[in-house]
Amino acid sequence: MRQSHLLQNTLRERPSEADTQGHSLLLRGGYVRQLAAGVYSYLPLGRRVLRKVEGIIREEMERADVQEVLLPSLQPAELWMESGRFATYGPNLMKAEDRHGRSFVLGPTHEEAVTWLLKNEVSSYKKLPVRVYQIGTKFRDELRPRSGLLRGREFIMKDAYSFDTTEEGLDQSYRVMYEAYHRIFARCGLDFRAVEADAGSIGGEGGSHEFTALSSIGEDGIAVCGSCGYAANVEQAETAGMKGLPEAAESPSRGAATTPSLDRAALGEFGNIQINMASDQMPGGGEAAGSAFGQNADQAHEPELFHTPGVKTIDQLVSAFGLQAADIIKTLIYTAGGQTVAVLVRGDHEVNELKVAKYLGVPEVSLAEESAVLAAAGVLPGYVGPTSLKLPVTLLVDYAVADMTSGIAGAGRPDYHLRGVVPDVHFSLRHTGDFRNAAEGDICPRCRSGLIGVHKGIEIGHVFKLGTRYSEPLAASFLDDTSRSRPMIMGCYGIGVSRLVAAIAEQHAGEEGIAWPAELAPFDVHLIVVSMRDEAQTKLADELYETLKRSGVEVLLDDRQERPGVKFKDSELIGAPHVIVIGREAGEGRVEFEHRGAGGKETIDYREAIRRITE
Amino acid sequence: MRQSHLLQNTLRERPSEADTQGHSLLLRGGYVRQLAAGVYSYLPLGRRVLRKVEGIIREEMERADVQEVLLPSLQPAELWMESGRFATYGPNLMKAEDRHGRSFVLGPTHEEAVTWLLKNEVSSYKKLPVRVYQIGTKFRDELRPRSGLLRGREFIMKDAYSFDTTEEGLDQSYRVMYEAYHRIFARCGLDFRAVEADAGSIGGEGGSHEFTALSSIGEDGIAVCGSCGYAANVEQAETAGMKGLPEAAESPSRGAATTPSLDRAALGEFGNIQINMASDQMPGGGEAAGSAFGQNADQAHEPELFHTPGVKTIDQLVSAFGLQAADIIKTLIYTAGGQTVAVLVRGDHEVNELKVAKYLGVPEVSLAEESAVLAAAGVLPGYVGPTSLKLPVTLLVDYAVADMTSGIAGAGRPDYHLRGVVPDVHFSLRHTGDFRNAAEGDICPRCRSGLIGVHKGIEIGHVFKLGTRYSEPLAASFLDDTSRSRPMIMGCYGIGVSRLVAAIAEQHAGEEGIAWPAELAPFDVHLIVVSMRDEAQTKLADELYETLKRSGVEVLLDDRQERPGVKFKDSELIGAPHVIVIGREAGEGRVEFEHRGAGGKETIDYREAIRRITE
């Protein structure tokens, strides 16, 4: 198309709205514009890239024999009540009422709608398996939309669903989709990892993998073993100290916290505990501060009190006293199911609340209010320690803390810490477990030899084994070959299509433009006329333009009355893989040819330029 | 694809939900399913047809150099307040609130969003004209969704917008789009008419055409001249009696009510009247019943009272007394801007409230409540007549009534009518005008010789000249070549994409299936294996299937273990243009070949079948 007609307004400066380089370039190039927080319009350039991504997804879904459907955004609230998600989805769920006062959900995802559809269409095992997908708009009322297309409130998603008769069938559907996702992301030119993940609010009990594009602006941390290739979300990855090193997990498709495949019997009791049970209440401190719990008690000295006025954080402790964070025991007080628990992790580690909640068998835990901390620890946050807990609180000790010879901990009184706090002597190891996020330098829980590296990433896809999470409550069942009614076994598979565009932009962002992978660039060729007043140039440009267009090449012809500098800058922002500059040598039929990312610029005959592009 | 895997459940019976034949077949064939009133899911067959329609639209938009964009459904309410439509759009407008209590509109159309976009992207005449389109989901909370995809609450629309610097530019954009629409609907195999129309709630002052697919189930009436080809919405078409025959309208793009091009000076005063003005209040009846208004008063007799017990409607009057509806004067009492008016039309005609409101210069009129009728006419509806009006009400007389020598009218007392009521004698013709819908047999207002035929139709597209209706309130202006700021001049152009599918289904519906136009059928070829237990048949079917697929043909292979009768019935519902039946002669390589709509069935060599399809 002719650029003089293109709806595009490029910006010279980074807009204040842009919090990442990729988003900045999408705004500067006139690909997208914000209409409201987290709500974007796609201009012609953005729409072209989006359609190309959609095209790749459609091709790969068809190759995998997945059928395209289209499900509505307006979904009756009753359907979400049947699945139970109307109550549990939370404030991200957008709702609308119709003129009769009936309540609708604006679909953030379509498990309910597709399950209801299959329930009514399919009644026999003969019609299964069925795999369907759609590409469409989703709504999610994010508290903090960010980074343009990365976390929006209205966004484009490809969602797919499989319906099988057996677990083995689900495994097969999952594998087909998993492989299709690899092909899609590879064709999009992304550096990505498939990582073990948690199923989150979608629910379901089976496996789950996240596809994560590596990027420093990503919100997700992923733990990757440098040796065996094991990869998992940092919140999901298994961790262990030296003593607590687990057996290698059995199933590569299962995360640590959801399916405890570790042999924890050797580490004390196993699985969820009832925090109300009297046997689990133990005096964690107070007068018991000096009492000994384990067999090493004889050799241990009493902890040494030292004065730390105004020092309340690990960072302050490290910098004021020249300590290592790894030598400090961090004590955090949580509220869990109405009870108070204390969690000990190393100063350089982060508590993983999901793991804590799962260990305790409660839906969630949250940091305790100050008053509850005071009641449990006798002191406000900053000086809480394991040896001075007042109430009978359950004390959860992370493996890495259990491994410490001795550590530094809060003293349970203002402005004091303790040195020489010894695990199993000064506090109990009765509840030792995996209570933290994976961290850089951890030993790989899979191969037990490699070291874990932590990377930031953008979640671009997610595959879940749902099992009967939706088919049971919605009664989507089929008759098997013995005429027995059984619930369909489901999987669901999502790709954030607009987020994918954002991730590609981040990974391919240069200083002055996005170098789009060839299959995704808004145009294949950018023809730039240096001077529109030079007839030789405009004539040659028209010939190139018409010839390339006839060959099915997507050409953008910069026919604007603008200075060459402006044209070149805009060309960077458009990022076509081929650029042909028609300048002074146009009279001799010579043009400057550039295949971006494949060497420099050459001055060649225009016919040669056509040949190179059309071949 | 193999039909054993197709998500499709055909129905033998017409579902009770289906109120038209096309919708019945879309349901029976498993194209669409209702999720909520006016909200549909598209199954694979329906999605395939929808995508083909979308493909045709995209091709024709690109050919017309219209650029694709994608605008969000969530639109800040503030934007709709700026345009004024937040207050005026009415209950069809769906709304949602976000978690912060901010109000959003779920876009039923995108004039505001696109105007806001252009306002921020384009500041100079150099960047204009711009023409953009999108294909996406719209929301409209219809009071009575009906006929499946025909009138939905969530539906697919193609909407396009043009931005020009001059009226001539808009004319050019309008023409480009008008021609593209003709190509689109022709390619969709539709029998359609472009008719003059009213701009409705979209607003704007320029021309407007509706594209209407002729169909007996349509909600829109269109008046078409059998002689000159004049076509207009019946509510929009000009009408006149013999005396009131207007001059030929000047502009073919303008409807009657919006641009009164009639020479009404000869018929009394012209244009809007202020119904509050004392001069327009006249005694319409009561004691004045017998008084004479015009010059024919001398020759006229008094009307004759006759007893019509319990007869309240035109139909009853016609059947009980053997009368012609065209000989009856229908008197309707309306409320308009707080005042009461009476409108007289012939018994076989319908009042056009839009025309009445425009004549009176009020936004709308509505039928009066019973109490207001009683006050104005001294009697309840059923016996109201022009000679017995009590209050000083404005009396509007349709041209066709003014033409009557004499008529039958309500007597203004229960159970009585009057014969021999003479216009201009027994009631005033001071406000004579065009107050009705066009009707079968009217004289054409354009050529003044042809007769009007009235057809039912489905509105499938609409083009509007908006002018500055949106660019002025939203301040979307540009600097012209003298650096003067002027509002952009807009047009908008819609196609109901999902409704188009419904209209095509209606026009191509047979008894047992939809004979899709070749370009739109979900599959090009349907291969039917008569017996899946016959190896010669399955082998030949596989070869045909693979060969055709390799040639890029979309093939559906019925590989199900079903009786032939079931397969043939389902094949009718799928409506592929080519059907190949692989049966008893498969061993000899012979198949039954049918090109639907182009002759009967032939038994031919399978290679010949491939040749015919791929050529």
Side-chain angles (χ1 to χ4, degrees):
Chain A
M1 90 166 289
R2 290 174 188 272
Q3 205 165 338
S4 54
H5 289 107
L6 181 67
L7 173 56
Q8 183 206 24
N9 178 32
T10 54
L11 314 172
R12 289 286 150 256
E13 304 296 328
R14 182 180 183 122
S16 60
E17 175 200 335
D19 52 356
T20 72
Q21 178 66 358
H23 184 39
S24 165
L25 291 170
L26 288 175
L27 290 172
R28 286 185 49 207
Y31 289 79
V32 297
R33 289 291 180 256
Q34 186 176 273
L35 179 63
V39 179
Y40 283 81
S41 297
Y42 294 79
L43 278 69
L45 285 186
R47 186 65 182 117
R48 292 179 82 97
V49 174
L50 190 64
R51 285 208 60 198
K52 292 189 175 194
V53 172
E54 292 172 358
I56 288 175
I57 293 173
R58 283 208 166 89
E59 279 177 31
E60 295 299 338
M61 285 295 105
E62 290 205 359
R63 190 199 294 212
D65 268 333
V66 188
Q67 305 172 58
E68 186 171 359
V69 296
L70 185 59
L71 305 169
S73 288
L74 285 178
Q75 302 176 13
E78 291 80 8
L79 208 53
W80 282 67
M81 291 170 185
E82 279 186 56
S83 76
R85 288 209 294 179
F86 194 77
T88 61
Y89 200 92
N92 276 3
L93 194 63
M94 295 203 81
K95 292 161 195 162
E97 270 196 3
D98 75 5
R99 63 199 296 157
H100 309 293
R102 288 190 210 104
S103 185
F104 286 83
V105 162
L106 292 177
T109 167
H110 281 75
E111 282 78 10
E112 285 82 358
V114 77
T115 306
W116 192 84
L117 183 70
L118 266 281
K119 164 202 174 101
N120 292 302
E121 296 301 306
V122 173
S123 55
S124 158
Y125 74 98
K126 287 185 204 161
K127 296 243 188 184
L128 294 173
V130 162
R131 297 170 195 152
V132 296
Y133 80 98
Q134 62 172 347
I135 297 177
T137 301
K138 303 278 190 250
F139 302 90
R140 213 170 283 176
D141 196 2
E142 297 282 352
L143 181 59
R144 285 182 203 84
R146 68 173 278 258
S147 307
L149 304 182
L150 212 56
R151 184 175 290 280
R153 299 199 290 175
E154 175 174 345
F155 55 96
I156 318 283
M157 199 168 145
K158 190 283 307 190
D159 43 335
Y161 307 90
S162 66
F163 297 82
D164 281 276
T165 57
T166 62
E167 289 290 342
E168 295 70 39
L170 170 59
D171 288 346
Q172 169 66 7
S173 290
Y174 191 86
R175 192 155 48 240
V176 163
M177 214 57 87
Y178 184 90
E179 285 163 8
Y181 275 33
H182 269 272
R183 287 195 300 271
I184 289 166
F185 299 132
R187 285 180 64 183
C188 287
L190 283 169
D191 183 10
F192 70 97
R193 299 285 184 283
V195 302
E196 294 178 13
D198 178 55
S201 70
I202 299 273
E205 295 157 12
S208 163
H209 281 85
E210 256 173 42
F211 289 82
T212 304
L214 301 186
S215 169
S216 60
I217 63 114
E219 293 183 309
D220 287 7
I222 63 170
V224 181
C225 171
S227 175
C228 74
Y230 167 87
N233 192 301
V234 283
E235 296 180 356
Q236 196 63 17
E238 303 155 17
T239 76
M242 295 307 288
K243 290 182 196 153
L245 196 66
E247 298 301 314
E250 284 143 17
S251 158
S253 70
R254 306 195 151 193
T258 41
T259 51
S261 54
L262 318 183
D263 180 8
R264 283 196 184 139
L267 310 168
E269 73 282 288
F270 167 82
N272 296 345
I273 58 172
Q274 295 301 318
I275 60 170
N276 287 330
M277 283 172 60
S279 67
D280 282 332
Q281 310 289 347
M282 61 181 123
E287 289 143 286
S291 62
F293 294 97
Q295 58 271 68
N296 301 326
D298 300 339
Q299 298 96 315
H301 297 91
E302 284 299 290
E304 175 197 342
L305 206 64
F306 69 111
H307 195 207
T308 54
V311 170
K312 290 184 167 180
T313 68
I314 304 285
D315 281 351
Q316 289 168 341
L317 209 53
V318 164
S319 61
F321 296 86
L323 302 172
Q324 299 291 322
D327 292 332
I328 299 168
I329 297 168
K330 189 158 59 177
T331 308
L332 291 161
I333 308 295
Y334 279 89
T335 302
Q339 303 288 320
T340 304
V341 299
V343 183
L344 304 190
V345 294
R346 246 170 44 185
D348 56 338
H349 287 159
E350 280 174 12
V351 171
N352 181 315
E353 297 180 359
L354 210 65
K355 292 179 179 178
V356 171
K358 288 207 168 146
Y359 184 87
L360 297 171
V362 294
E364 57 176 3
V365 300
S366 55
L367 275 172
E369 305 269 327
E370 286 204 344
S371 58
V373 174
L374 199 59
V379 71
L380 287 173
Y383 301 98
V384 177
T387 62
S388 53
L389 299 173
K390 297 282 180 208
L391 285 175
V393 297
T394 304
L395 183 70
L396 305 186
V397 183
D398 184 68
Y399 290 134
V401 170
D403 281 347
M404 294 169 81
T405 314
S406 81
I408 293 148
R413 52 184 270 203
D415 298 335
Y416 284 92
H417 279 77
L418 294 171
R419 272 199 196 90
V421 177
V422 180
D424 206 26
V425 174
H426 302 125
F427 58 89
S428 161
L429 295 185
R430 184 178 166 90
H431 295 293
T432 301
D434 172 9
F435 300 122
R436 65 174 173 97
N437 292 340
E440 188 85 24
D442 281 358
I443 290 165
C444 173
R446 180 69 36 80
C447 71
R448 305 171 66 167
S449 64
L451 291 183
I452 290 293
V454 171
H455 305 272
K456 287 280 182 189
I458 300 167
E459 183 190 338
I460 48 178
H462 211 147
V463 292
F464 303 95
K465 291 186 184 175
L466 291 174
T468 59
R469 162 68 184 86
Y470 293 90
S471 52
E472 272 190 5
L474 293 175
S477 54
F478 65 97
L479 293 180
D480 69 12
D481 51 5
T482 64
S483 292
R484 201 162 54 97
S485 177
R486 295 199 284 137
M488 298 179 195
I489 300 178
M490 292 176 55
C492 74
Y493 316 91
I495 291 178
V497 182
S498 38
R499 176 182 283 187
L500 199 54
V501 171
I504 296 161
E506 291 302 336
Q507 285 197 356
H508 294 265
E511 270 311 299
E512 292 302 327
I514 299 161
W516 294 105
E519 221 183 326
L520 300 177
F523 292 94
D524 302 326
V525 179
H526 199 179
L527 293 181
I528 301 175
V529 183
V530 172
S531 166
M532 285 300 290
R533 287 197 208 94
D534 181 329
E535 203 181 323
Q537 292 184 23
T538 56
K539 224 180 119 196
L540 183 60
D542 280 342
E543 184 172 342
L544 269 161
Y545 179 64
E546 296 298 336
T547 307
L548 288 169
K549 251 182 45 170
R550 267 197 305 277
S551 312
V553 177
E554 294 180 340
V555 198
L556 181 66
L557 169 62
D558 192 343
D559 60 343
R560 297 174 301 160
Q561 305 272 8
E562 291 282 0
R563 283 177 293 112
V566 170
K567 292 189 172 193
F568 294 139
K569 276 218 170 289
D570 286 351
S571 179
E572 293 274 333
L573 288 167
I574 292 167
H578 300 95
V579 181
I580 299 177
V581 180
I582 298 140
R584 243 173 295 170
E585 294 184 54
E588 293 84 56
R590 292 172 68 75
V591 297
E592 191 187 272
F593 182 88
E594 184 184 4
H595 185 178
R596 272 198 184 119
K601 297 166 188 173
E602 283 177 84
T603 299
I604 57 177
D605 188 86
Y606 79 98
R607 283 166 295 239
E608 170 64 9
I610 292 172
R611 198 189 58 74
R612 290 194 192 175
I613 286 164
T614 52
E615 258 177 17
Chain B
M1 93 165 290
R2 289 174 189 272
Q3 205 165 337
S4 54
H5 289 107
L6 180 67
L7 174 56
Q8 182 205 25
N9 178 31
T10 54
L11 314 172
R12 290 286 151 256
E13 304 296 327
R14 182 182 185 122
S16 60
E17 175 201 335
D19 52 357
T20 72
Q21 177 67 356
H23 184 40
S24 166
L25 291 170
L26 288 174
L27 290 171
R28 285 185 49 207
Y31 289 79
V32 296
R33 290 290 180 254
Q34 185 176 274
L35 180 62
V39 179
Y40 282 81
S41 297
Y42 294 79
L43 277 71
L45 285 186
R47 186 66 181 115
R48 291 180 83 98
V49 174
L50 191 64
R51 286 208 59 200
K52 293 190 173 192
V53 172
E54 291 172 359
I56 289 174
I57 293 174
R58 282 208 166 89
E59 280 177 30
E60 294 300 337
M61 285 295 105
E62 290 204 1
R63 189 200 293 211
D65 268 332
V66 187
Q67 304 173 57
E68 186 171 358
V69 296
L70 185 59
L71 305 168
S73 287
L74 286 178
Q75 302 176 12
E78 292 78 8
L79 209 52
W80 282 67
M81 291 171 186
E82 279 186 57
S83 75
R85 287 209 294 180
F86 194 76
T88 62
Y89 200 91
N92 275 5
L93 195 63
M94 294 205 80
K95 293 161 194 163
E97 270 197 4
D98 74 6
R99 63 198 296 156
H100 308 295
R102 286 190 211 104
S103 184
F104 286 84
V105 161
L106 293 177
T109 167
H110 281 75
E111 282 78 11
E112 285 81 358
V114 76
T115 306
W116 192 83
L117 183 70
L118 266 281
K119 163 200 173 105
N120 292 302
E121 296 302 305
V122 173
S123 55
S124 157
Y125 74 98
K126 287 186 203 161
K127 296 244 188 182
L128 294 173
V130 161
R131 296 170 196 152
V132 296
Y133 81 99
Q134 63 172 347
I135 296 177
T137 300
K138 303 278 190 254
F139 302 90
R140 213 170 283 175
D141 196 1
E142 297 281 352
L143 180 59
R144 285 182 204 84
R146 66 173 280 256
S147 308
L149 303 182
L150 211 57
R151 182 175 292 281
R153 299 199 291 175
E154 174 173 346
F155 54 97
I156 318 283
M157 199 168 144
K158 190 282 308 191
D159 44 333
Y161 307 90
S162 66
F163 297 82
D164 282 275
T165 58
T166 60
E167 289 289 344
E168 294 71 37
L170 170 58
D171 288 345
Q172 168 67 7
S173 290
Y174 191 87
R175 193 156 45 240
V176 163
M177 214 57 87
Y178 184 89
E179 285 164 8
Y181 275 33
H182 269 272
R183 286 195 301 271
I184 289 166
F185 299 132
R187 285 180 66 182
C188 287
L190 283 169
D191 181 11
F192 70 96
R193 300 285 183 285
V195 302
E196 294 179 12
D198 178 56
S201 70
I202 300 272
E205 294 157 12
S208 163
H209 281 85
E210 256 172 42
F211 289 81
T212 304
L214 301 187
S215 168
S216 60
I217 63 112
E219 293 184 310
D220 286 7
I222 62 168
V224 180
C225 171
S227 174
C228 73
Y230 166 87
N233 191 302
V234 283
E235 295 180 358
Q236 195 62 16
E238 303 155 17
T239 75
M242 296 306 289
K243 290 182 197 152
L245 196 69
E247 298 301 313
E250 284 143 15
S251 156
S253 70
R254 304 196 151 191
T258 42
T259 51
S261 56
L262 317 183
D263 181 8
R264 284 194 185 140
L267 310 169
E269 74 281 289
F270 167 82
N272 296 345
I273 58 172
Q274 294 302 317
I275 59 169
N276 287 331
M277 281 172 62
S279 67
D280 281 331
Q281 310 289 347
M282 60 181 125
E287 289 143 284
S291 63
F293 294 96
Q295 58 269 67
N296 301 326
D298 301 339
Q299 298 97 316
H301 296 92
E302 284 301 290
E304 176 196 343
L305 205 65
F306 69 111
H307 196 209
T308 54
V311 171
K312 289 183 167 179
T313 68
I314 303 286
D315 282 350
Q316 289 168 341
L317 210 52
V318 164
S319 60
F321 295 87
L323 302 172
Q324 300 292 321
D327 292 332
I328 301 169
I329 296 168
K330 188 156 61 177
T331 308
L332 291 161
I333 308 295
Y334 279 90
T335 302
Q339 301 289 319
T340 304
V341 299
V343 183
L344 304 190
V345 294
R346 246 170 43 185
D348 56 338
H349 287 158
E350 280 175 12
V351 171
N352 181 314
E353 297 180 359
L354 210 65
K355 292 179 178 178
V356 171
K358 289 207 168 146
Y359 184 86
L360 297 171
V362 295
E364 57 177 5
V365 300
S366 55
L367 275 174
E369 305 269 327
E370 286 203 344
S371 58
V373 174
L374 199 58
V379 71
L380 287 173
Y383 302 98
V384 177
T387 62
S388 53
L389 299 173
K390 297 283 183 211
L391 285 174
V393 297
T394 303
L395 183 70
L396 306 186
V397 183
D398 182 69
Y399 289 135
V401 170
D403 281 347
M404 295 166 82
T405 314
S406 80
I408 293 147
R413 52 185 269 203
D415 298 336
Y416 283 93
H417 279 76
L418 293 172
R419 273 198 196 92
V421 177
V422 180
D424 206 26
V425 174
H426 301 123
F427 58 88
S428 162
L429 294 185
R430 184 178 165 89
H431 295 293
T432 301
D434 173 9
F435 300 121
R436 65 174 173 99
N437 293 340
E440 188 85 24
D442 281 358
I443 290 164
C444 172
R446 180 67 37 78
C447 72
R448 305 171 67 170
S449 63
L451 291 183
I452 290 293
V454 171
H455 305 272
K456 286 281 182 188
I458 300 167
E459 183 190 338
I460 48 177
H462 211 148
V463 293
F464 303 93
K465 291 185 184 175
L466 291 172
T468 59
R469 162 68 184 86
Y470 294 90
S471 52
E472 272 190 4
L474 293 175
S477 54
F478 65 97
L479 294 179
D480 69 12
D481 52 4
T482 65
S483 292
R484 200 161 54 98
S485 178
R486 294 199 285 139
M488 298 180 195
I489 299 178
M490 292 174 56
C492 74
Y493 317 90
I495 291 179
V497 182
S498 37
R499 176 182 285 189
L500 199 52
V501 172
I504 296 162
E506 291 300 338
Q507 284 197 356
H508 293 264
E511 271 308 300
E512 292 302 327
I514 299 161
W516 293 105
E519 221 183 327
L520 300 178
F523 292 94
D524 302 326
V525 178
H526 198 179
L527 293 182
I528 301 175
V529 183
V530 172
S531 167
M532 286 301 290
R533 291 197 206 94
D534 181 330
E535 203 181 324
Q537 292 184 24
T538 56
K539 225 180 118 194
L540 184 59
D542 280 342
E543 185 174 341
L544 269 161
Y545 180 63
E546 295 299 337
T547 307
L548 288 169
K549 252 182 44 170
R550 268 198 305 278
S551 311
V553 177
E554 294 179 340
V555 198
L556 180 66
L557 169 62
D558 192 343
D559 59 344
R560 297 175 300 161
Q561 304 273 9
E562 291 281 2
R563 284 178 292 112
V566 170
K567 293 189 172 192
F568 294 139
K569 275 221 170 287
D570 286 351
S571 180
E572 293 275 332
L573 288 167
I574 292 167
H578 299 95
V579 181
I580 299 177
V581 179
I582 298 142
R584 246 173 293 170
E585 294 184 54
E588 293 84 56
R590 293 172 69 73
V591 297
E592 191 189 273
F593 182 87
E594 184 184 6
H595 185 179
R596 272 200 183 118
K601 299 164 187 175
E602 283 177 82
T603 300
I604 57 176
D605 188 86
Y606 79 97
R607 285 166 292 238
E608 170 65 9
I610 292 171
R611 198 189 58 74
R612 289 195 193 174
I613 286 163
T614 52
E615 257 175 16

